Amino acid sequence: MKNYQVNNEGYYGEFGGAYVPEILHRCVEELTKAYRDILESDGFQREYDSLLRDYVGRPSPLYLARRLSQTYGCKIYLKREDLNHTGAHKINNAIGQALLARRMGKTRIIAETGAGQHGVATATVCALLDMECVVYMGKTDVERQHVNVEKMKMLGATVVPVTSGNMTLKDATNEAIRDWCCHPADTYYIIGSTVGPHPYPDMVARLQSVISREIRAQLLEHEGRECPDYLMACVGGGSNAAGTIYHYLNDERVKIVLAEAGGKGVESGLTAATICLGRKGILHGSKTLVIQDEDGQVEEPYSISAGLDYPGVGPMHANLAAQHRATVLPVNDDEALRAAYELTRLEGIIPALESAHVLGALPKIDFKPDDVVVLTVSGRGDKDIETYLKNL
Ligand SMILES: *Cc1c(COP(=O)(O)O)cnc(C)c1O
């Protein structure tokens, strides 16, 4: 049987590892030594589970979308991460890592953010746990995601605008890593997706795996079986997808479909379809697929959705694609927008633009009438209303 989980050296097949500056070796090693024991301890699990239940509002519903099902000729269940506190799946991870940081004796939290969703989730948790919080955000994103910046400030976080490079997520991540290098003793870096050096991809996947744990129990209740025919999720760095598929990875009967951002089209030069276009490289501490030019320079990605606008992808997902365990479909801006309107009109659910990309993959699949599909709606569309109206 193939193994799709991380090995002891931090690799998924040939992807992953921990490529960090000398000064961070000790930090990363300390984290690698600590994370499994802490995450698996009774004390951690009790505190984490009770916050997920009473603060986040879990379990998130598994909802049979009847009219959407009719449209695509199969049975589609939506896993409603959009109903979580702060509006997306990111809070599952932020809470887990903040609890871990506290148990490791760290007092200062840093984070990177693109659209601001991970920044808001982290600032929220830091308010809750009374921890200092600094969020790095590209200046371009600070300007276009103004509401999230105000939320973070209201929550007590310091938002640092980053003016290097394109002034977006990639640059914010570089700056957060730089901060960590300067404050290795007291600072914990909460990464927002299944990216970065080992052990982050595995740690974030474990913290998000609550999604597939719930799906198993909920599907058993609805359908009398734990396994769907299809699992579907969008991929930016890969955390909501990792959570959705975690407990199904080794069951090859369950087909995995991942949607990445095609932007204006995979061949257009304006795209974030990393698995389609990327070549092996090292980005933010991990060997993975990276959109890069002939000389290995990382290229600026593009997507209408800020949460998918990243030139890399988690090493777990790069490996799932390489092993043909997952089918990866690029979904373009216009296809995602159409799908967002469709879900809104059929089911009364306005999805996040990121989640709209996986909905946009539905017409590309040839379903059979008795297929059971579980599709994760990673977040709600409140933050995207302006974009939706502009593109009506
Ligand atoms: C951040 C975000 C994503 C993309 O991140 P992943 O780590 O790939 O899940 C997807 N959906 C929403 C709503 C987000 O906020």
Side-chain angles (χ1 to χ4, degrees):
M1 194 174 74
K2 285 187 182 168
N3 178 18
Y4 302 104
Q5 294 292 1
V6 76
N7 69 16
N8 285 334
E9 285 74 49
Y11 284 87
Y12 299 85
E14 56 182 320
F15 301 104
Y19 298 82
V20 296
E22 189 66 35
I23 192 161
L24 286 182
H25 275 173
R26 269 192 42 205
C27 285
V28 169
E29 205 163 290
E30 182 192 12
L31 189 59
T32 303
K33 282 202 182 110
Y35 84 108
R36 280 198 196 190
D37 285 347
I38 295 180
L39 262 49
E40 285 165 11
S41 70
D42 286 345
F44 176 91
Q45 286 194 356
R46 217 173 307 119
E47 196 173 3
Y48 184 49
D49 289 348
S50 97
L51 283 174
L52 287 182
R53 189 187 64 216
D54 301 331
Y55 188 70
V56 176
R58 304 202 72 93
S60 65
L62 186 72
Y63 164 69
L64 173 59
R66 288 179 203 282
R67 296 185 65 207
L68 190 69
S69 297
Q70 243 167 29
T71 304
Y72 290 101
C74 58
K75 217 166 176 184
I76 303 174
Y77 287 91
L78 302 178
K79 182 60 172 161
R80 300 288 310 276
E81 294 300 300
D82 59 308
L83 294 176
N84 292 341
H85 181 44
T86 69
H89 64 293
K90 294 227 167 61
I91 191 87
N92 305 327
N93 168 55
I95 290 185
Q97 286 197 56
L99 292 177
L100 172 69
R102 211 168 54 175
R103 279 172 164 72
M104 291 177 70
K106 309 288 182 183
T107 53
R108 181 172 174 270
I109 297 291
I110 58 171
E112 84 296 335
T113 198
Q117 293 303 108
H118 174 56
V120 168
T122 303
T124 298
V125 175
C126 287
L128 177 72
L129 300 179
D130 192 21
M131 295 173 97
E132 185 189 345
C133 181
V134 178
V135 179
Y136 289 91
M137 188 170 188
K139 189 163 162 282
T140 310
D141 291 331
V142 168
E143 283 157 13
R144 63 183 179 186
Q145 304 290 338
H146 189 66
V147 174
N148 276 342
V149 174
E150 296 310 321
K151 281 188 192 170
M152 287 184 263
K153 288 183 181 165
M154 184 166 172
L155 288 158
T158 304
V159 180
V160 181
V162 174
T163 54
S164 55
N166 222 34
M167 308 188 211
T168 59
L169 177 59
K170 170 173 63 68
D171 314 295
T173 306
N174 288 334
E175 212 48 43
I177 292 173
R178 208 160 293 150
D179 177 311
W180 200 21
C181 289
C182 296
H183 308 91
D186 67 338
T187 295
Y188 182 97
Y189 178 18
I190 300 190
I191 295 184
S193 188
T194 41
V195 299
H198 179 68
Y200 281 99
D202 181 53
M203 178 166 59
V204 176
R206 283 167 186 255
L207 292 170
Q208 292 290 2
S209 72
V210 62
I211 298 173
S212 54
R213 192 160 63 239
E214 289 175 3
I215 292 173
R216 290 195 87 100
Q218 290 169 322
L219 204 60
L220 184 63
E221 208 168 282
H222 283 284
E223 289 288 322
R225 56 169 161 135
E226 291 184 336
C227 290
D229 297 292
Y230 288 87
L231 284 171
M232 298 180 65
C234 67
V235 177
S239 68
N240 88 87
T244 301
I245 63 183
Y246 194 87
H247 292 288
Y248 293 104
L249 275 171
N250 291 331
D251 190 338
E252 310 262 354
R253 288 170 306 176
V254 181
K255 300 181 196 73
I256 297 171
V257 178
L258 306 176
E260 59 178 6
K264 303 280 190 199
V266 171
E267 303 297 336
S268 70
L270 291 171
T271 183
T274 308
I275 296 177
C276 283
L277 286 180
R279 288 181 294 116
K280 273 171 241 169
I282 291 176
L283 182 65
H284 298 140
S286 176
K287 185 190 276 186
T288 187
L289 296 173
V290 183
I291 303 183
Q292 52 189 306
D293 66 16
E294 301 290 299
D295 303 323
Q297 288 294 321
V298 178
E299 295 196 273
E300 289 304 334
Y302 162 82
S303 165
I304 193 171
S305 152
L308 303 183
D309 198 352
Y310 186 66
V313 65
M316 176 200 253
H317 309 69
N319 182 52
L320 291 174
Q323 306 278 335
H324 307 291
R325 176 67 185 93
T327 304
V328 182
L329 301 173
V331 174
N332 296 346
D333 290 358
D334 56 343
E335 296 170 314
L337 287 166
R338 191 204 59 78
Y341 275 95
E342 180 179 74
L343 185 73
T344 303
R345 292 301 174 87
L346 288 177
E347 301 289 346
I349 297 169
I350 303 178
L353 256 169
E354 292 82 3
S355 321
H357 282 73
V358 64
L359 292 157
L362 285 170
K364 300 173 191 277
I365 302 169
D366 199 8
F367 294 114
K368 294 198 289 291
D370 55 359
D371 278 339
V372 171
V373 178
V374 174
L375 180 151
T376 295
V377 180
S378 54
R380 67 178 82 129
D382 302 32
K383 67 185 177 59
D384 299 312
I385 296 300
E386 261 179 59
T387 311
Y388 285 143
L389 292 179
K390 244 192 320 216
N391 291 281
L392 192 67

